[in-house]
């Protein structure tokens, strides 16, 4: 936990936010706990995500319309790994193909700006 630098920093963070998504499950512990909320930015293209979000937490959708809150890793030009944020190793990675390069591809991406411990009043 650290100081966010004042209200102006928080205001600029949420100005680009799409909204909040509730975390369901334990696969992101300790970064996000069941029942907390993710501050989600506006959707970007999968191609843009591959250029700018390697190593960052995202919400991703694949061509089978599964949704994941994971860390994006680009391991090869045609291979994407969505790493679990879980520190215990209980949840394995999800391997996807690059957009349009295989059977189950990364299709949609929403950058995650942060985690709220609870909803504001």
């Amino acid at each position: 936990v650290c100081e966010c630098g004042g209200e102006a920093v928080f205001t600029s963070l949420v100005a680009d936010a799409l909204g909040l998504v509730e975390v369901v499950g334990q696969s992101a512990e300790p970064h996000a706990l069941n029942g907390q909320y993710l501050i989600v930015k506006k959707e970007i293209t999968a191609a843009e995500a591959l250029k700018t979000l390697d190593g960052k937490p995202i919400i991703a959708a694949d061509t089978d319309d599964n949704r994941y809150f994971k860390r994006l890793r680009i391991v090869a030009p045609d291979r994407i790994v969505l790493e679990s944020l879980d520190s215990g190793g209980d949840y394995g990675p999800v391997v996807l193909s690059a957009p349009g390069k295989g059977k189950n591809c990364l299709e949609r991406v929403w950058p995650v700006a942060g985690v709220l411990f609870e909803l504001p009043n």
Side-chain angles (χ1 to χ4, degrees):
V1 176
C2 65
E3 180 181 2
C4 71
E7 188 174 327
V9 173
F10 185 72
T11 301
S12 69
L13 173 72
V14 296
D16 192 30
L18 176 64
L20 301 174
V21 173
E22 185 176 3
V23 175
V24 177
Q26 291 80 36
S27 69
E29 291 182 3
H31 300 284
L33 306 177
N34 186 47
Q36 290 180 330
Y37 292 85
L38 305 174
I39 303 169
V40 180
K41 292 184 174 187
K42 295 173 185 163
E43 182 178 353
I44 64 172
T45 66
E48 182 66 22
L50 296 177
K51 292 178 190 171
T52 61
L53 297 178
D54 188 25
K56 305 287 185 189
I58 62 168
I59 295 177
D62 63 18
T63 49
D64 292 333
D65 206 30
N66 295 307
R67 306 285 166 106
Y68 310 95
F69 172 47
K70 304 273 188 185
R71 179 178 293 115
L72 177 66
R73 293 289 186 195
I74 302 154
V75 295
D78 61 343
R79 180 134 332 206
I80 297 160
V81 173
L82 301 176
E83 289 181 335
S84 178
L85 298 169
D86 159 63
S87 62
D90 293 331
Y91 301 91
V94 175
V95 179
L96 299 174
S97 297
K101 302 277 185 181
K103 185 174 180 183
N104 193 16
C105 302
L106 179 67
E107 190 165 81
R108 302 179 73 189
V109 176
W110 297 266
V112 175
V115 179
L116 288 179
F117 290 102
E118 59 186 39
L119 289 177
N121 290 333

